Amino acid sequence: MNSQRPVNLDLRTIKLPVTAYTSILHRISGVILFLGIAVLLFGLDKSLSSEEGFAQVKECLTSPLAKFVIWGLLSALLYHLVAGVRHLIMDAGVGETLEGGKLGSKIVLVVAVILIVLLGVWIW
C-alpha cells in the first residue's frame, strides 16, 4: 500500500500555535490539581487527627521542598483559573476569531506568569 499522505512523527519539528500550548497547559494544570488534591487532603487529615499530627504538618510545611510543592500546586491553580476565565469569556462570544484566540492565549500566558512570579515571592 503506497500512501501519498505526509507522515511526520518527529514531535520536535511540529510547530504548534500558541493556542495549542495554552490548551495543553490548561489540561496539564487540571491533572496536577487533581493529583495535588490527594496530597493536600492527606496533609489536612494528618493535621486534624491529633496535636502531634498538626505539629508534624506544620514542621513539614516549613521545608523548602514543601514550599516548592505548594508553589507548584498554587501555580497550577492560578494558570487553570486564568485559562478558565478565558474560556468563559470566549463562551460569551468574545475572542472567538483566530486572531482573538491567539491574543487571548498570549494574554493568558502573560497574566499567568505575572501571577505565578508574585505567588513565588509571597511564598518565599
Side-chain angles (χ1 to χ4, degrees), residues 37-89:
I37 287 173
V39 174
L40 295 176
L41 286 176
F42 173 76
L44 179 65
D45 179 51
K46 188 163 183 80
S47 71
L48 294 176
S49 64
S50 65
E51 260 187 66
E52 295 82 23
F54 180 79
Q56 288 175 349
V57 171
K58 187 177 176 182
E59 180 184 333
C60 177
L61 289 178
T62 60
S63 74
L65 179 62
K67 286 184 179 184
F68 181 74
V69 169
I70 290 171
W71 176 74
L73 289 173
L74 290 176
S75 296
L77 177 65
L78 281 175
Y79 181 82
H80 202 76
L81 176 73
V82 172
V85 168
R86 172 183 172 249
H87 281 289
L88 289 174
I89 291 171

Side-chain angles (χ1 to χ4, degrees), residues 11-12 15 18 23 26 33 39 46 54 61 72 77 86-87 97 99 104 107 114-116 118 121:
L11 296 177
R12 295 172 293 150
K15 176 96 169 100
V18 68
S23 177
H26 190 232
L33 288 174
V39 174
K46 188 163 183 80
F54 180 79
L61 289 178
L77 177 65
R86 172 183 172 249
H87 281 289
T97 64
E99 295 81 21
I107 291 171
I114 291 170
L115 290 175
I116 289 169
L118 290 174
V121 170

